[in-house]
Amino acid sequence: GVGLCSYLLIGFFWDRPFDERTGMSCADAGRKAFIVNRIGDFAFLIGILYLALTFGTLKFSELGPAIVGSHVAEGLLTAIALLLFIGACGKSAQIPLYVWLPDAMAGPTPVSALIHAATMVTAGVYMVCRMSALYSSAPGALSIVAAVGAMTALFAATMGICATDIKKILAYSTVSQLGYMFAAAGVGAYVAAIFHLMTHAFFKALLFLGAGSVIHGLGGKQDVREMGGLRKIMPVTFGTFLIATLAISGVPGLSGFFSKDEILWGAWSSGNKVVWVMLALGAGITAFYMWRVLHLTFFGTFRGDAETKSHAHESPALMTVPLVILAVLAFAGGWIGIPAVLTGGADLNQFHHWLEPAITLPGDAGGHGAEHAQLPAADAVTPAALTAAAALPLAAAEAGHDTTTELVVMAFSILIALVGLLFAYTVYSRPGAAARLAGAMGPLYTLVRNLYWVDELYDAVIIRPFYRLIRFFNGFDRWIVDGLVNATAVTADILGQLIKLFQTGFVRNYALAFLLGVIAILLYLGAV
């Protein structure tokens, strides 16, 4: 149902061209989203069937205790977890099934805001976190979730550096931020993943609707190379877009800072330094390309045609009021998750307490045959139980909390964001600096500008061989299968034509044939 709605919404402008580089139409983009998601759904359905067969239920409230208290082989749990995660990779656009999401920008901009911020793409993250009991019982699957999430976060972030369609830049950002969420879940920071899911909804919806406001004000233009100098023409859109840019970049005090910092701390404290390095690099690149799109859109001089500039205007209140509301949430939405390290040890993080009953940590479910920490039933959650919840849902936190280390990691994450912003400002505020940087990057720039030719690779390795296979089976069906059936019919027809020659209707002919038959039999018997 979700796939069908997405297909219809993405292909809303079905007859319009969408991507000049690939020749894709809006209808093609909708079809691509539908097909890629069906790949993930196929694995997801098998995982659901295995869950039902193994545990006899598909209710979240019953699955958690059943999984944690079971003695099911870890291999089976890992297989189920990976099957479900493949479904999540489809819905939530992770490597290798992320390719549909940038092309989902073919739909109307409010649809893009809904798909990227509020619905569908976050479903995979929710599923993994809600099934924390399963993933905590399958550490191998959890490691794969962390690796895929971290790789996606970094990989997609690099693709936003050179993109020129304002909506596609935000689409690659969504893929990258979803990677952050999965990486958080993969290191056991399930609550941090959901926390970032929430804050991301605020600033990403604001970014998309802000982009929609810009597109509306410019009469449908989406190429940032044809924008510039809009901050005075569209002050409300600029102000709200600036807040969203700073929030997603992880600037202190804004919503994205708290959730991103918690994910980075979760990766560090889990001991998975490779994931932390990849996420930290992704954070710096995110700050860079987000300031890039902000600068190219609102600063400098207008680079489009004179007619577009003459009609450029601020959007009406129907569009700007939601931007202001979302800007407030993007600014302050993360304050409900302020870490204890910033409050002098006071536990003000209500978000953790609210989600704690539904989360099982890797340490809680580790080792079959050991004592398992049961998930509390919904009616068994008491204020005392909530108060006793750990401030950070990480297995590493049980070993002792190093405040100094957390502050250092936090300071480093702030530094990374500021470096990314400053570098982007330096590059794009100087005329010709961006072109010189692109030239200096050489083949690397070409690689990123062409999105690593992933779509072309899929076309060469999967799509074209698939079409050739389809043509082969079509020919086999037409000439071999149908040929055999038709040959049977032709043979019967020919035999009928021959036999009817002997059906004359004259008794003397039949008597003659009978006589000849008797003579032939007698001759045969005589010879024997």
Side-chain angles (χ1 to χ4, degrees):
V2 172
L4 174 61
C5 291
S6 299
Y7 165 74
L8 296 173
L9 290 169
I10 294 168
F12 183 79
F13 302 117
W14 59 273
D15 57 344
R16 293 186 185 178
F18 170 62
D19 192 322
E20 294 180 0
R21 189 175 70 89
T22 60
M24 179 180 291
S25 68
C26 294
D28 294 330
R31 185 162 55 247
K32 181 177 181 180
F34 188 85
I35 293 173
V36 172
N37 273 279
R38 297 295 73 73
I39 297 171
D41 288 350
F42 179 72
F44 190 66
L45 178 60
I46 296 174
I48 289 175
L49 294 175
Y50 266 116
L51 273 178
L53 289 172
T54 306
F55 300 103
T57 181
L58 290 176
K59 293 184 178 179
F60 281 132
S61 58
E62 297 174 0
L63 275 173
I67 293 171
V68 174
S70 72
H71 295 279
V72 177
E74 186 175 303
L76 178 57
L77 293 177
T78 301
I80 295 174
L82 290 177
L83 286 168
L84 296 179
F85 180 59
I86 293 172
C89 285
K91 278 288 182 288
S92 297
Q94 297 297 285
I95 293 174
L97 300 179
Y98 72 92
V99 291
W100 69 270
L101 191 55
D103 294 324
M105 298 301 94
T109 304
V111 170
S112 302
L114 286 173
I115 290 177
H116 286 247
T119 62
M120 187 171 174
V121 298
T122 56
V125 178
Y126 171 83
M127 183 277 298
V128 171
C129 294
R130 195 62 182 84
M131 292 295 293
S132 59
L134 172 64
Y135 285 90
S136 295
S137 301
L142 204 61
S143 298
I144 292 176
V145 172
V148 171
M151 288 189 294
T152 304
L154 181 58
F155 185 66
T158 62
M159 288 190 282
I161 296 175
C162 302
T164 55
D165 185 307
I166 188 171
K167 288 177 64 178
K168 278 200 170 186
I169 296 171
L170 301 180
Y172 295 124
S173 169
T174 299
V175 177
S176 179
Q177 297 305 305
L178 289 167
Y180 261 88
M181 300 173 205
F182 278 112
V187 298
Y190 299 110
V191 175
I194 296 296
F195 187 25
H196 194 57
L197 186 154
M198 182 193 75
T199 60
H200 174 263
F202 298 147
F203 54 71
K204 186 50 60 69
L206 177 55
L207 287 168
F208 268 110
L209 293 183
S213 178
V214 171
I215 294 168
H216 173 78
L218 297 180
K221 299 290 186 181
Q222 295 187 200
D223 194 325
V224 293
R225 295 171 296 184
E226 300 178 10
M227 301 177 186
L230 296 178
R231 73 179 189 278
K232 294 182 179 179
I233 301 174
M234 309 179 72
V236 177
T237 301
F238 165 68
T240 54
F241 203 95
L242 174 62
I243 291 174
T245 299
L246 297 177
I248 193 175
S249 299
V251 171
L254 280 75
S255 60
F257 164 73
F258 297 105
S259 56
K260 268 194 173 183
D261 173 73
E262 191 168 322
I263 290 174
L264 288 169
W265 172 242
W268 180 275
S269 60
S270 72
N272 198 331
K273 300 301 189 292
V274 174
V275 169
W276 180 85
V277 169
M278 296 175 74
L279 295 181
L281 287 174
I285 296 173
T286 297
F288 175 85
Y289 70 70
M290 285 309 305
W291 188 267
R292 169 181 175 264
V293 69
L294 179 79
H295 187 93
L296 291 176
T297 304
F298 295 101
F299 290 92
T301 58
F302 189 76
R303 297 177 298 278
D305 57 80
E307 182 180 358
T308 302
K309 183 178 181 181
S310 65
H311 292 95
H313 61 280
E314 179 63 278
S315 299
L318 183 67
M319 299 174 71
T320 56
V321 170
L323 295 181
V324 174
I325 295 172
L326 285 169
V328 173
L329 293 170
F331 185 88
W335 294 357
I336 64 170
I338 298 178
V341 72
L342 295 180
T343 59
D347 186 8
L348 303 179
N349 196 329
Q350 296 302 311
F351 198 79
H352 285 287
H353 295 315
W354 184 57
L355 289 180
E356 190 273 341
I359 298 298
T360 298
L361 307 181
D364 297 334
H368 297 292
E371 272 187 275
H372 296 287
Q374 299 289 333
L375 286 175
D379 56 0
V381 178
T382 63
L386 293 179
T387 305
L392 287 173
L394 299 166
E398 299 175 2
H401 187 64
D402 189 341
T403 303
T404 304
T405 303
E406 183 176 1
L407 286 172
V408 171
V409 173
M410 181 183 294
F412 193 81
S413 67
I414 295 172
L415 179 63
I416 290 171
L418 295 179
V419 168
L421 292 171
L422 180 61
F423 184 51
Y425 174 78
T426 303
V427 170
Y428 289 96
S429 61
R430 297 178 179 178
R436 289 193 297 271
L437 179 61
M441 299 300 290
L444 183 59
Y445 173 81
T446 304
L447 179 67
V448 176
R449 182 70 181 87
N450 288 280
L451 309 175
Y452 301 94
W453 290 290
V454 172
D455 280 315
E456 288 81 357
L457 177 64
Y458 282 5
D459 184 62
V461 176
I462 299 176
I463 304 300
R464 291 181 187 175
F466 178 74
Y467 284 162
R468 284 196 290 267
L469 187 65
I470 292 300
R471 285 192 289 268
F472 168 77
F473 280 118
N474 179 59
F476 183 84
D477 178 67
R478 180 175 299 178
W479 299 107
I480 305 301
V481 177
D482 287 355
L484 290 174
V485 173
N486 294 335
T488 303
V490 171
T491 302
D493 182 61
I494 293 173
L495 290 175
Q497 294 295 330
L498 291 173
I499 293 172
K500 78 176 183 179
L501 297 176
F502 299 95
Q503 301 297 319
T504 62
F506 296 108
V507 175
R508 60 181 179 271
N509 292 342
Y510 298 152
L512 177 62
F514 184 81
L515 177 62
L516 293 175
V518 170
I519 293 172
I521 293 172
L522 291 174
L523 291 173
Y524 173 76
L525 292 176
V528 173

